[in-house]
């Protein structure tokens, strides 16, 4: 049972534009959500997170939005840069538990 | 500097052999995890541990075993019972299993069965 879903396997945007990556979850007990960025043959690196008591968290060019009623979160990257090209994983956890990951979305930012 | 070290980066195994993947962290984290990544798939949880001498099965524990004798170390053994062991294996750690904390990942070990 896949509790965290990223339905878009890939996304291509032009440099300078906004990138929006989406993630849906099914477990209403999740209360902490994270985004990771991964390059090939490397481990994922933490990007940004949000707890269930918030609906938005911003860190520089990265903003994560959480819609609890829809069980949906999104990552916005503005402006997108070629160095942002990577696979982005959405993850979720309950207050006491392991972390569950989505399948990832490959972002390509074209110069 | 602090981090998580996985070794080796590449590993080749003959069918029918057991192999152990190393994971060491010097972040003083209580919780450690093993994930597996296959092409086109997300990270699937194999095992996790919240404290020394304690570990729990994840979603795909069959054919794997772990130990947690020291806080810094969480080795994963891929046994001959694992039917499709070729994959990219990732170890991670976090301060604890509880609360709003992120996990930090190692660089991964690519295991190939030949």
């Amino acid at each position: 049972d896949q509790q965290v879903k990223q339905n878009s396997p890939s996304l291509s945007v032009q440099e300078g534009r906004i990138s929006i990556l989406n993630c849906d979850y099914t477990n209403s007990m999740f209360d902490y959500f994270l985004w990771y960025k991964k390059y090939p043959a490397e481990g994922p690196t933490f990007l940004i997170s949000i707890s269930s008591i918030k609906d938005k968290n911003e860190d520089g060019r990265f903003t994560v939005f959480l819609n609890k009623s829809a069980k949906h979160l999104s990552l916005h990257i503005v402006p997108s840069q070629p160095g942002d090209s990577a696979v982005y994983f959405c993850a979720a956890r309950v207050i006491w538990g392991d972390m569950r990951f989505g399948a990832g979305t490959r972002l390509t930012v074209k110069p | 500097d602090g981090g998580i070290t996985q070794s080796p980066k590449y590993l080749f195994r003959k069918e029918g052999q057991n192999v152990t993947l190393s994971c060491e962290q010097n972040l003083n984290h209580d919780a450690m995890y093993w994930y597996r990544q296959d092409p086109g798939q997300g990270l699937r949880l194999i095992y996790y541990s919240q404290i020394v001498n304690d570990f729990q099965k994840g979603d795909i524990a069959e054919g794997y075993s772990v130990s947690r004798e020291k806080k810094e170390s969480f080795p994963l053994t891929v046994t001959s019972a694992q039917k499709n062991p070729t994959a990219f294996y990732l170890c991670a750690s976090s301060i604890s299993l509880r609360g709003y904390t992120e996990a930090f990942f190692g660089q991964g070990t690519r295991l190939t069965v030949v």
Side-chain angles (χ1 to χ4, degrees), chain A residues 1 4 9 17 23-25 27 30 40 43 46-47 49 53 55 62 66 75 77 81-84 88 90-91 98-99:
Chain A
D1 177 30
V4 181
R17 300 286 189 126
C23 178
D24 297 294
Y25 61 95
N27 187 346
F30 286 145
F46 171 71
L47 200 55
S49 63
I53 60 174
D55 55 17
F62 302 91
L66 175 63
L75 174 68
I77 307 174
Q81 300 173 353
D84 295 330
Y88 289 78
C90 170
D98 56 89
M99 202 171 306

Side-chain angles (χ1 to χ4, degrees), chain A residues 31-32 34 36 38 41-44 46 51 89 93 95-103, chain B residues 9 35 37 42-43 45 48 50 59 88 90 96-103 105-107:
Chain A
D31 62 358
Y32 190 51
L34 310 93
Y36 284 83
K38 185 181 180 301
E42 292 185 9
F46 171 71
S51 69
F89 288 99
R93 62 181 299 184
I95 190 66
W96 184 292
D98 56 89
M99 202 171 306
R100 301 295 170 137
F101 285 81
Chain B
K9 191 168 178 64
Y35 290 90
Q37 185 188 17
L43 280 62
L45 184 66
Y48 64 101
Q50 59 179 318
D59 296 328
F88 189 54
L90 286 158
S96 83
L97 213 59
R98 184 173 61 181
Y100 301 132
T101 59
E102 68 267 23
F105 283 84
Q107 292 299 293

